[in-house]
Amino acid sequence: MSQHNISGSEVFGPKPFVILRGVKTGGLRRQRSARTLVAFIAGAVVAVTGGAIALAAVFGPTLFG
């Protein structure tokens, strides 16, 4: 049973505006986390590649020369 007994014009009376802020849909959250993960992986690949190139530049001539 309802605890409120609303009938007549009270039902259609002026109501305050309810604005929901800060509520994000799950899709946007998943997209943002996916983008963050891709950026992290790309950064890791660039760092490993840069390190490999730096090691080859430093030790390459002595190993293969």
Side-chain angles (χ1 to χ4, degrees):
M1 299 257 331
S2 174
Q3 295 179 352
H4 303 288
N5 189 12
I6 300 173
S7 62
S9 64
E10 296 174 14
V11 176
F12 304 106
K15 296 177 181 157
F17 287 103
V18 177
I19 300 174
L20 297 175
R21 295 179 190 259
V23 177
K24 297 181 174 125
T25 62
L28 287 177
R29 234 177 312 165
R30 281 192 296 271
Q31 273 185 342
R32 182 177 296 159
S33 65
R35 258 185 274 146
T36 304
L37 181 64
V38 168
F40 178 78
I41 292 173
V45 167
V46 168
V48 168
T49 305
I53 291 172
L55 284 174
V58 170
F59 296 112
T62 57
L63 291 176
F64 302 111

